[in-house]
Amino acid sequence: MANPRARVLLLNPALGPLDYRVDPGQDVGPGSIVLAPLGPRQWAGVVWEADRMPSDAEVGDNRLRPLAGVYDLPPLGAPLRRLIEWTANYYLAPPAAVLRMALSSASALDGARTVIEYRATGHVPDRLTPQRAQALERIGERQGLVRELATIADVSDAVIRGLVKIGAIEAVEVSVDDPWVAPDPDFHTPALSDDQQTVASRLVEAVRGHEFQPFLLDGVTGSGKTEVYFEAVAEAIRQDRQTLVLLPEIALTEPFLKRFAARFGHQPVAWHSDLRQSQRRRAWRAIATGEAKVVVGARSALFLPYARLGLIVVDEAHETSFKQEDGVMYHARDVAVMRGRFEGCPVVLASATPAIETRQQVALGRYEELKLPGRYGVAQMPDISEIDLLADPPPRGRWLAPTLVTAIDETLKRKEQALLFLNRRGYAPLTLCRTCGHRFQCPNCTAWMVEHRLMARLACHHCGHVMPPPAVCPECKEEDTLVACGPGVERIADEVAALFPDAKVAVVTSDTLWSPAKAAEFVNRMEAGDIDIIVGTQLITKGYHFPNLTLVGVVDADLGLAGGDLRAAERSFQQIAQVAGRAGRGEKPGRVFVQTREPSAPVIQALVSGDAESFYAAETESRRSANAPPFGRYAAIIVSSEKLDEAVETARLIGRTAPEVEGMHVFGPAPAPLAMLRGRHRQRLLVHARRALDVQDVIREWLGGLEWPRGVRVAVDVDPYSFV
C-alpha cells in the first residue's frame, strides 16, 4: 500500500519541510516534484525521505492538506538530494535555498511546448519617444519575453508593449521542446603529444570505471588541458553519460563553444545567466531527461538535475569567482567534488595555477595529480622580465614605463598584438575636488565612486549606484575642479591612444564583455587582426588563445598585494601567471613585462624566475604556521541592518555569547571594511578553528539560541574568500 503522506521541501527558505496527504492515483516517491498548497498560495516542492528531513511539527493524517498536483518530470535523483543536504549543512544555508538552485527554471516545471517571445521587426516609426528609441537600440537582434526585453533595454514593460502596438516589435512563437543534436565523440580526433596522450588515457580509464576520483589536471598555460579533458568527455558521450563543464565567467562560454564544436561537430548545452527563459526551460528539461549530453556553464549549473552524470570538469579551478558571495555562499570547486562523490563519477580540476587548498588535497593523497609540463607543439613559455618603476619611471602623468612603451612599439611594427593588464575597471578609482578635497563616495556604501569616462558616469562597483559626473563640486560649488586620481583601464587606453594613435585599441572588462555574444565579437575581432592592443582586467586572464598575441604588460603588479587578504599573494601570482600565459601561444615567441615598485617581492621573483614551486612552498608554510586554510578553518559572521545601533548591538550580542570551545577563537565584532553596503550597516566577526572541529555545529547551536530585531540579517560565510 502506498504511503498516504509525503514530506515535502517547498521552495520557501523561511520554512522547513511540511507533510501533505497523497491522494489515491498520485504516483509520489522521494524526489518527486510536486505542487503543494500553503495558505492561499501554491508552491513547488520536492518529496523527501522523512527520516533524512525531520519536520518541526508532526500533524495527524486527518489534518493533512492534499497535494495540489504532481509534475510530469523525472524525480530529483538521490545523489542530488544528498548534495542538497550536504551543501545546506556545510554552508549553514536553508535546504530550500539550495533546492531552489536545482529547480532554477520555474518555467521548466510547466508542460507548455511553445512560448510567445518578441523581437524587433526593423520598422522604426517616424516619431519615437527617447525611451522607445533606447529600447530599440539596446534590443538589437535579441528576442525574449516582454519582461526580458524591458530588462535588456532598461525600460518599463509598458514601453515594450507600446512598441508592439505600433509594429516596431512583433510576437513570435518559439518551440521549447526542440531536440538537441548529440555531440559526435569521433567528429575530429586531435593528434595529442605523448604527455597529453598519457594524461588523456588516465582520464578515459576513470570515466569507464564509473567511480569517484578527483583529479588535479595541472598544466602550464597553453599545454592543451582542454584538448586532453575533451577525450574524457568523448568517452562519457560514448557511454551515454552526461558531462558538466564549469567555467568561471560566462564571457568564456562563447570561445569554449567554438572549440567544442570544432572537436565534436555540435555545440554543447549552455547554462548561464544570459539565457532567455525559453532557453533555460529547454536546457533544464533536456538535462533532467538525459538528452543533454554535455553542459557547459557557470557555477549555478552544478545543481541541475542530471539524469546520468558521468564526468565533471572545473576549468580554471583556481578562480575565486567560483565562490558565491551572496545567498547560499558555496564554493563551486568544492561542491563539484562532493557532487562527483555522490554521483560516483570522476571530477577534473584543471588549472595552470592550482589553489593551495587543491595542492594540499594532492599532498594528502585525496586527489590524483596529472601534469602537463610543457606547451603544445612548437609554442614556448614566454620570457618574463620585471620593470622596476623606481629605476625606470613613466613620465609625469603617465603610467607606462619607457621600456614597456618601446616593447609595444616593436610589437606593433612586427604586426603582432599586445595586451596590457590592470585589474581596475573604469577610468580612475577615485575622483576628488582639487579645490576643497571633496571625495565622491557612494551614498549606499563606504566605497569611492569610480569614474567611467567612456559611459560618462560615476559608478559604485559594490551596489551598482550610478550618477553623472557633476559640473560643480557638491561641497565648495567650484566649477571644473574635479580630478581623477590613479589609473583604471580606460585611463591606460587613453595613454595608449596618445602614444600609438594608429593602433586599434580594445578595452576588455566586465563592462564591455557583459555577455557571451560580446565575448564572441571580441574573439572574432582579435582573430581577424582588427585589434592591435588590448587593455583589460582579470577577465582577459582566463582561457583565451590568440596565436598572434606576443607581448603582455602588467601595468601594476603590486595592486593585488595591498590589504590584509589571506590569499592576496597567491591571487596576485595566479592572475599575473595567467595573463602572462596569453603571450606566445602560437609559433611566435612571447614576452612579458611586469611593472612593480617591489621587484624583490616573493611574488615577482617567482614569476620572473619561473620558480612557482618555491613560492607555493613558502606560501603553504606560512599558512601552516598561522593555522590558516587549508590547515585551519575560518567562518565569517556578517551582521547587517539599515539601523547602525541594531547592527552594532546584535554583533555585540553574538560576540558576548560566543561559546568556549577548545581549538576555536572568535575575533570581533568590528565594523566591516565595507562598513555600509547597499544602504545597510555591516559588522563582522571571524571564527578561527582547528581543522578537525565541526565548526558548523558549534555556530548552528550558538546562533540558534539568540534573538535579534527583525530588520537585522545575520549571514554565515563558511570558508570565506572575501574579507570586506
Side-chain angles (χ1 to χ4, degrees):
M1 178 180 168
N3 192 343
R5 61 193 295 153
R7 183 148 298 169
V8 179
L9 183 61
L10 301 176
L11 293 183
N12 185 335
L15 293 175
L18 299 174
D19 286 353
Y20 288 90
R21 188 177 81 236
V22 180
D23 287 338
Q26 288 183 322
D27 185 13
V28 169
S32 294
I33 304 172
V34 298
L35 189 65
L38 182 67
R41 296 182 58 189
Q42 293 184 331
W43 289 76
V46 172
V47 176
W48 225 267
E49 298 93 330
D51 59 334
R52 301 195 67 93
M53 194 73 71
S55 177
D56 293 335
E58 289 288 344
V59 178
D61 289 355
N62 60 332
R63 294 176 53 207
L64 292 179
R65 298 181 70 179
L67 290 173
V70 182
Y71 287 101
D72 183 21
L73 289 166
L76 294 196
L80 178 52
R81 299 200 303 278
R82 301 297 82 83
L83 182 77
I84 290 168
E85 293 166 1
W86 181 87
T87 304
N89 180 65
Y90 187 87
Y91 292 104
L92 295 170
V98 186
L99 176 62
R100 188 180 289 277
M101 295 191 287
L103 301 181
S104 52
S105 174
S107 62
L109 306 183
D110 177 21
R113 296 187 174 277
T114 61
V115 66
I116 301 299
E117 294 186 338
Y118 296 85
R119 66 186 178 197
T121 60
H123 168 64
V124 181
D126 295 334
R127 298 177 64 184
L128 276 182
T129 65
Q131 280 203 311
R132 286 181 173 180
Q134 174 181 309
L136 290 176
E137 179 188 354
R138 294 192 180 181
I139 289 168
E141 296 181 2
R142 300 171 81 172
Q143 73 179 50
L145 304 177
V146 167
R147 178 88 290 269
E148 291 171 332
L149 294 186
T151 301
I152 291 167
D154 195 19
V155 297
S156 68
D157 291 10
V159 172
I160 303 298
R161 296 192 190 283
L163 287 167
V164 174
K165 281 185 179 178
I166 61 175
I169 288 179
E170 65 181 354
V172 286
E173 189 175 41
V174 177
S175 171
V176 288
D177 278 340
D178 285 348
W180 295 91
V181 180
D184 177 2
D186 303 308
F187 179 76
H188 179 72
T189 306
L192 301 180
S193 68
D194 290 345
D195 283 344
Q196 289 177 326
Q197 189 60 58
T198 300
V199 172
S201 297
R202 176 68 187 98
L203 294 178
V204 167
E205 176 192 337
V207 171
R208 283 182 186 149
H210 295 191
E211 289 182 9
F212 169 60
Q213 173 61 57
F215 292 97
L216 168 59
L217 178 53
D218 182 358
V220 299
T221 53
S223 59
K225 293 183 291 296
T226 306
E227 284 68 24
V228 165
Y229 72 66
F230 272 175
E231 295 309 295
V233 174
E235 184 59 30
I237 296 169
R238 291 186 190 103
Q239 298 197 11
D240 195 29
R241 290 163 72 84
Q242 294 169 291
T243 297
L244 165 62
V245 181
L246 290 180
L247 300 177
E249 302 272 0
I250 67 166
L252 288 177
T253 309
E254 204 67 25
F256 180 90
L257 297 182
K258 286 180 69 174
R259 291 178 74 177
F260 187 94
R263 168 64 179 85
F264 295 101
H266 297 284
Q267 292 200 348
V269 176
W271 183 272
H272 50 74
S273 58
D274 203 49
L275 295 180
R276 308 195 309 271
Q277 180 178 303
S278 59
Q279 293 172 316
R280 293 175 77 83
R281 180 197 184 283
R282 182 181 172 218
W284 192 95
R285 290 179 79 96
I287 289 164
T289 60
E291 181 193 346
K293 291 292 178 275
V294 183
V295 177
V296 55
R299 57 179 177 246
S300 59
L302 185 54
F303 289 92
L304 295 174
Y306 301 93
R308 295 182 299 279
L309 198 52
L311 174 66
I312 300 172
V313 178
V314 185
D315 208 343
E316 310 287 351
H318 62 279
E319 271 296 327
T320 56
S321 51
F322 280 124
K323 179 68 161 72
Q324 172 83 14
E325 295 291 358
D326 53 21
V328 181
M329 291 188 269
Y330 67 96
H331 199 303
R333 177 197 65 212
D334 300 339
V335 178
V337 173
M338 292 307 298
R339 177 132 204 196
R341 179 180 167 188
F342 290 126
E343 298 278 358
C345 72
V347 181
V348 179
L349 308 181
S351 174
T353 52
I356 287 174
E357 287 83 352
T358 305
R359 287 170 166 263
Q360 179 62 12
Q361 294 295 326
V362 171
L364 293 172
R366 294 173 183 161
Y367 294 2
E368 182 178 331
E369 185 175 31
L370 304 172
K371 292 186 80 74
L372 293 172
R375 283 191 159 176
Y376 180 72
V378 297
Q380 298 295 316
M381 293 298 289
D383 291 325
I384 303 180
S385 310
E386 83 268 25
I387 296 176
D388 184 349
L389 291 175
L390 300 179
D392 186 14
R396 183 175 175 81
R398 295 287 176 93
W399 308 95
L400 303 180
T403 301
L404 180 55
V405 172
T406 301
I408 296 170
D409 187 46
E410 293 168 352
T411 302
L412 296 179
K413 285 176 179 173
R414 292 195 302 270
K415 304 295 184 186
E416 294 167 3
Q417 295 164 312
L419 162 62
L420 297 176
F421 167 70
L422 176 66
N423 202 25
R424 192 182 262 161
R425 290 156 55 202
Y427 184 82
L430 172 65
T431 300
L432 53 76
C433 171
R434 67 163 63 91
T435 302
C436 71
H438 173 79
R439 297 182 177 195
F440 285 85
Q441 184 171 325
C442 174
N444 309 314
C445 310
T446 43
W448 306 124
M449 297 291 282
V450 177
E451 181 181 358
H452 287 253
R453 198 161 285 188
L454 292 177
M455 293 176 280
R457 70 185 190 191
L458 298 175
C460 173
H461 289 170
H462 298 283
C463 72
H465 177 76
V466 295
M467 58 183 279
V472 299
C473 171
E475 199 160 313
C476 69
K477 309 303 180 188
E478 289 288 326
E479 294 186 22
D480 298 325
T481 64
L482 305 187
V483 59
C485 299
V489 286
E490 292 177 12
R491 194 168 200 170
I492 300 301
D494 278 1
E495 181 174 341
V496 168
L499 289 166
F500 306 102
D502 296 331
K504 290 170 280 191
V505 181
V507 175
V508 177
T509 73
S510 56
D511 299 312
T512 59
L513 257 63
W514 40 264
S515 73
K518 287 287 183 184
E521 179 186 328
F522 160 67
V523 171
N524 291 338
R525 288 185 62 201
M526 278 294 291
E527 290 175 347
D530 192 36
I531 296 172
D532 298 314
I533 303 172
I534 308 168
V535 184
T537 61
Q538 52 86 26
L539 195 67
I540 197 63
T541 67
K542 306 177 180 82
Y544 289 106
H545 177 82
F546 302 123
N548 201 40
L549 177 62
T550 59
L551 176 70
V552 168
V554 179
V555 176
D556 187 351
D558 311 322
L559 184 60
L561 295 174
D565 188 339
L566 160 76
R567 298 176 177 85
E570 179 190 17
R571 193 173 300 157
S572 290
F573 177 83
Q574 289 168 336
Q575 281 190 343
I576 297 172
Q578 290 283 341
V579 76
R582 300 313 107 200
R585 294 172 70 97
E587 295 181 2
K588 301 172 182 176
R591 292 186 298 165
V592 179
F593 290 96
V594 180
Q595 295 193 158
T596 176
R597 291 172 184 80
E598 298 182 59
S600 60
V603 173
I604 307 301
Q605 287 298 302
L607 289 162
V608 172
S609 67
D611 188 5
E613 289 306 316
S614 293
F615 169 76
Y616 271 113
E619 275 292 299
T620 303
E621 194 48 47
S622 69
R623 298 256 197 108
R624 192 194 307 271
S625 62
N627 199 32
F631 305 102
R633 308 190 67 188
Y634 284 146
I637 301 175
I638 305 108
V639 181
S640 71
S641 173
E642 292 180 2
K643 298 178 181 177
L644 176 60
D645 58 338
E646 286 187 350
V648 170
E649 191 48 49
T650 302
R652 286 176 179 167
L653 169 68
I654 293 172
R656 275 198 313 272
T657 56
E660 297 275 341
V661 177
E662 184 184 352
M664 186 183 101
H665 302 280
V666 179
F667 301 98
L674 266 176
M676 181 179 273
L677 181 64
R678 302 182 185 97
R680 299 181 67 85
H681 299 277
R682 303 168 74 244
Q683 298 271 312
R684 288 181 69 106
L685 299 94
L686 184 66
V687 179
H688 184 196
R690 56 189 168 86
R691 189 79 208 161
L693 181 68
D694 191 343
V695 77
Q696 287 91 342
D697 278 354
V698 175
I699 294 173
R700 194 179 288 110
E701 187 175 340
W702 168 20
L703 298 184
L706 302 178
E707 292 186 2
W708 44 76
R710 289 177 61 118
V712 174
R713 293 181 202 148
V714 177
V716 181
D717 186 1
V718 177
D719 303 338
Y721 267 57
S722 170
F723 292 84
V724 299

